[in-house]
């Protein structure tokens, strides 16, 4: 499984997902986050742990938290726990084990197949990134970062990290940010405002961002004054951050625009994907102070 995502070319707006089940419900996780899938092993309980956390387990010398996905989603526990599976995942520069009921198969899809959740059930507290229709079934693409953030709020983006940089001057530079999570858009707004960036234009996905940028680029004379930097997540419905970066760097007017990929998927194994599409920098969430310093370097 580790090698399967390598087969995908960078910037094609495709991804591979692992489909898994909790009861009768079907969910998905990006293959790029998955290290391996295990059968159940003994888990050591931890007193007073968060109610999503079953305990800890050892895997090749590493002690990893085991998270009960059914508990995190408010769903029923497994009726056949001996057949359950453990998904070992890595993102946001940390590893965790997610306890699920079944793992079925891997699908290769386009980000355009992932629909934004309806406002009826999507909000800042939602754990659903998008809805994927596969063979008559609806598969929910889960926000695993949100689950970990609920367990440990200190693991997220914090304004205090920016304050540690000391007094900063207000900047008139205009920044375009593509980020699908409402929660993270709010965090980025607060932290970047604290860092002195006053003009922040947010978009929920890469498609909306590139439409806006290409419209601005129609008037090349005013374009350089309209936007000076793009920050993008990778995982977004409709168009991911790698494809957005590729579109920018292949555009005759947009190509000089600095692009920073700010994502939970920045690892040594995956960094080459951002380099191939021409990203000027890649920074792992939640390292907001590194993001701010890189912004200073690129545009101030």
């Amino acid at each position: 499984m580790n090698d399967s995502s390598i087969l995908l070319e960078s910037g094609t707006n495709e991804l591979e997902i692992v489909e898994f089940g909790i009861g009768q419900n079907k969910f998905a996780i990006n293959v790029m986050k998955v290290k391996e899938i295990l059968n159940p092993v003994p888990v050591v309980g931890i007193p007073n742990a968060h109610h999503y956390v079953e305990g800890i387990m050892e895997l090749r010398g590493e002690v990893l938290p085991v998270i009960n996905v059914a508990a995190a989603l408010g769903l029923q526990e497994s009726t056949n726990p001996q057949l359950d599976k453990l998904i070992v995942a890595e993102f946001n520069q940390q590893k965790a084990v997610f306890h699920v009921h079944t793992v079925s198969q891997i699908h290769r899809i386009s980000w355009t197949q992932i629909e934004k959740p309806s406002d009826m059930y999507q909000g800042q507290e939602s754990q659903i990134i998008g809805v994927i229709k596969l063979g008559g079934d609806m598969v929910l693409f889960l926000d695993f970062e949100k689950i970990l953030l609920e367990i440990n709020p200190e693991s997220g983006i914090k304004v205090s990290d920016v304050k540690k940089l000391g007094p900063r001057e207000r900047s008139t530079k205009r920044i375009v940010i593509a980020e699908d999570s409402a929660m993270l858009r709010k965090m980025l707004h607060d932290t970047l405002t604290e860092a002195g960036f006053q003009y922040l234009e947010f978009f929920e996905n890469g498609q909306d961002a590139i439409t806006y940028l290409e419209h601005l680029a129609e008037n090349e004379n005013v374009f350089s004054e309209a936007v000076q930097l793009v920050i993008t997540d990778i995982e977004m419905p409709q168009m991911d951050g790698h494809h957005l970066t590729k579109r920018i760097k292949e555009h005759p007017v947009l190509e000089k625009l600095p692009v920073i990929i700010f994502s939970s998927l920045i690892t040594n194994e995956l960094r080459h994907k951002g380099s191939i599409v021409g990203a000027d920098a890649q920074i792992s969430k939640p390292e907001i102070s590194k993001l701010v310093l890189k912004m200073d370097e690129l545009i101030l």
Side-chain angles (χ1 to χ4, degrees), residues 58-218:
E58 183 179 354
L59 182 63
R60 288 186 287 279
E62 284 188 279
V63 177
L64 304 176
V66 180
I67 297 160
N68 187 324
V69 179
L73 300 177
L75 298 174
Q76 294 294 319
E77 294 298 331
S78 174
T79 56
N80 295 294
Q82 70 278 8
L83 300 178
D84 288 1
K85 298 294 182 183
L86 301 176
I87 298 176
V88 183
E90 181 177 13
F91 52 88
N92 278 358
Q93 297 186 325
Q94 57 186 325
K95 284 184 182 178
V97 180
F98 293 92
H99 176 186
V100 303
H101 298 170
T102 60
V103 173
S104 53
Q105 58 187 312
I106 293 176
H107 304 276
R108 179 175 293 194
I109 63 171
S110 166
W111 283 100
T112 60
Q113 293 174 247
I114 302 179
E115 299 179 13
K116 177 188 173 184
S118 165
D119 291 336
M120 291 290 289
Y121 55 89
Q122 167 72 342
Q124 188 162 314
E125 301 307 314
S126 175
Q127 295 149 323
I128 301 171
I129 293 175
V131 180
I132 310 162
K133 295 175 183 176
L134 289 174
D137 293 322
M138 285 198 298
V139 179
L140 304 181
F141 198 47
L142 282 190
D143 188 346
F144 285 86
E145 288 92 334
K146 176 70 166 53
I147 293 173
L148 288 188
L149 193 60
E150 289 180 22
I151 295 170
N152 179 20
E154 287 301 305
S155 66
I157 296 169
K158 300 187 289 292
V159 172
S160 59
D161 289 343
V162 173
K163 290 181 177 179
K164 291 175 185 176
L165 297 175
R168 294 176 53 81
E169 305 219 354
R170 308 304 285 171
S171 171
T172 58
K173 302 296 184 180
R174 297 179 180 273
I175 316 297
V176 165
I177 302 168
E179 168 60 64
D180 66 308
S181 167
M183 176 185 65
L184 286 172
R185 287 197 300 272
K186 174 71 165 55
M187 288 181 174
L188 282 169
H189 176 273
D190 293 348
T191 50
L192 293 180
T193 299
E194 177 67 28
F197 295 99
Q198 306 173 69
Y199 301 104
L200 305 171
E201 193 77 45
F202 284 89
F203 296 91
E204 294 183 3
N205 59 66
Q207 181 61 61
D208 291 347
I210 194 63
T211 299
Y212 173 75
L213 291 169
E214 288 178 344
H215 175 70
L216 290 178
E218 291 174 3

Side-chain angles (χ1 to χ4, degrees), residues 10-31:
S10 294
T12 62
N13 210 36
E14 291 181 309
L15 76 156
E16 288 177 325
I17 58 170
V18 177
E19 180 187 331
F20 65 90
I22 302 291
Q24 299 301 310
N25 301 280
K26 296 184 177 182
F27 300 95
I29 181 173
N30 193 331
V31 164

Side-chain angles (χ1 to χ4, degrees), residues 231-250:
I231 299 170
T232 180
D233 189 16
I234 292 177
E235 294 186 294
M236 297 180 289
Q238 299 305 305
M239 183 184 292
D240 72 353
H242 284 145
H243 191 63
L244 170 61
T245 303
K246 186 171 185 282
R247 289 277 294 272
I248 290 171
K249 295 303 181 178
E250 290 179 347

Side-chain angles (χ1 to χ4, degrees), residues 229-233 258-262 279-283 291 294-295 298:
L229 177 75
V230 173
I231 299 170
T232 180
D233 189 16
V259 178
I260 300 176
I261 296 178
F262 186 55
D280 295 272
Q282 300 178 74
I283 297 170
L291 174 64
K294 182 55 69 172
M295 293 169 70
L298 290 172

